Amino acid sequence: MSKTELIDSHVSVKQCKRAIEALHVYATDLEKKRAETELLPGNEQHIWLQIAVKTMQPEQKLKPLRIPIKYPLVDPRTSGVCLITKDPQREYKNLLERHNIKFISRVVGIEKLKGKFKAFEARRLLLKENSMFLADERVIPLLPRLLGTKWFEAKKQPIPVCLTRKDLKGELERAIESSYMHQNKGTCTSVKVGILSQTPKQIQINLETALPAIVTHIKGGWDNIQSLHIKTSTSISLPVWNCDLGDEEGGRWNGLIAEEEAEETGENLLSQDGPFDSDEEMDAAKPSKPVVQEKKTKGTKRLLDDDAEQPKKKPKPSPRVGSAPEKPSSSPKSKTTDTAPSATPTSAPEAPLPAKRSAEIGEIKKAKVVKGQKGKSAKGALLGKKAGQSS
């Protein structure tokens, strides 16, 4: 097959044409049958190019990659294009008027997203009225929280544009006329290459234009691509290109070693070193594991020392049957009552220290007064003459 019949020296133009025509006929017939039974028209079907890779992408890129196509997917004359800008909103409306840009149908600022379009119904209406959303690249990090998940489910993520360039009109036109690739961390990525209202020839030209740019954004290029398919949002995928399933260069199993080959390689390495004469040499050839010494913690060492120093208790002798009971001791400390012979004497609770000391001082004073005045009662001694008066 000549190189003129291949896209990027790999994909057959004939196979692409057959797959696109078959998919277009099937999807068109399905839409006609649906229009006969439904009153309201459905969303327009997109044609997707599905790329499957051999190894996953190491990192996920949040910023979409611009893919050039010849026939745009959005027509500003029939579909709305919304531009999300910084505040103040009026400044950017005047900027579009100065550059004579008339294909932007609506301009929305951040304050309006937080206020007027904060309600779910208002945001859903904004999503339904516009087919494409452009946003100032300086406000892109704020949009996922303000817009919600419905934008990502409808595949209408805002496309970042630079509003500070001198050729602002050309920047916005290139953004509308391109398709976009959202690189994920999986093994399958889809890119829009056409819509069902376009002819099969236009879709094929878009595919031929977009495919080389898509391959440049994939790590490893064609060596990492496993297969290419085209499909609509609701149809099955039709094959466009598949890599070889062999282990040669560019094949599916290139660079992968089977288990049998690995075992053969290991046996060859052993044969080069030579066989061992005895089991001792084989054991010596094996890598020895380092001896790990058990470390004793402080708590473990303390427990071991306590067990070594603590003397063992002697077991008490059990009383013999028929032996005489022990005689109670005659000391006053060991006296027991008849009602509770086995009860131990308990000491009375001691009084608090301040109360005890005050009671002792009072007894000493009382004893002095009584000793100095014999023949008088304690009351009379306390109520006697004052100190310094003669009797």
Side-chain angles (χ1 to χ4, degrees), residues 121-256:
E121 291 294 332
R123 281 183 290 160
R124 189 176 68 173
L125 187 62
L126 179 66
L127 177 65
K128 188 177 180 181
E129 288 177 350
N130 300 277
S131 299
M132 190 174 188
F133 290 86
L134 305 177
D136 190 349
E137 60 185 5
R138 294 170 291 184
V139 300
I140 285 290
L142 305 175
L143 297 182
R145 182 175 57 85
L146 296 175
L147 297 178
T149 58
K150 292 296 180 181
W151 261 257
F152 296 91
E153 293 176 1
K155 305 298 181 183
K156 292 184 180 180
Q157 298 96 320
I159 305 302
V161 292
C162 182
L163 299 182
T164 58
R165 290 189 178 181
K166 295 181 179 180
D167 187 14
L168 181 59
K169 187 174 183 180
E171 171 71 9
L172 297 178
E173 286 178 350
R174 285 190 296 270
I176 295 174
E177 293 174 356
S178 301
S179 183
Y180 293 89
M181 175 180 176
H182 298 272
Q183 183 67 59
N184 54 23
K185 293 183 70 174
T187 58
C188 185
T189 307
S190 298
V191 181
K192 296 176 185 177
V193 293
I195 52 179
L196 197 58
S197 59
Q198 294 175 343
T199 62
K201 184 65 176 177
Q202 292 175 339
I203 298 172
Q204 182 178 349
I205 294 174
N206 281 350
L207 177 61
E208 294 175 1
T209 307
L211 188 56
I214 293 172
V215 175
T216 56
H217 291 296
I218 295 176
K219 186 177 180 180
W222 281 105
D223 294 335
N224 193 25
I225 297 177
Q226 181 175 341
S227 62
L228 299 174
H229 294 75
I230 60 167
K231 65 187 295 293
T232 63
S233 302
T234 57
S235 71
I236 61 172
S237 57
L238 300 180
V240 174
W241 179 83
N242 283 284
C243 68
D244 296 331
L245 296 180
D247 56 354
E248 62 274 2
E249 185 178 356
R252 177 65 183 88
W253 310 111
N254 183 26
L256 301 177

Side-chain angles (χ1 to χ4, degrees), residues 369-389:
V369 171
V370 173
K371 186 177 180 181
Q373 297 180 6
K374 296 181 180 180
K376 290 185 178 182
S377 63
K379 184 176 180 181
L382 291 172
L383 298 175
K385 295 180 180 181
K386 296 181 180 179
Q389 293 182 357

Side-chain angles (χ1 to χ4, degrees), residues 45-86:
Q45 293 285 336
H46 287 87
I47 308 297
W48 297 83
L49 176 64
Q50 199 173 57
I51 306 103
V53 296
K54 301 173 186 176
T55 58
M56 293 190 298
Q57 184 75 10
E59 59 183 5
Q60 184 178 2
K61 297 180 180 179
L62 299 178
K63 185 176 180 181
L65 305 172
R66 184 173 294 181
I67 306 298
I69 53 177
K70 187 173 182 179
Y71 298 97
L73 308 178
V74 177
D75 188 359
R77 296 172 295 181
T78 58
S79 303
V81 179
C82 178
L83 178 63
I84 302 174
T85 64
K86 291 179 65 178

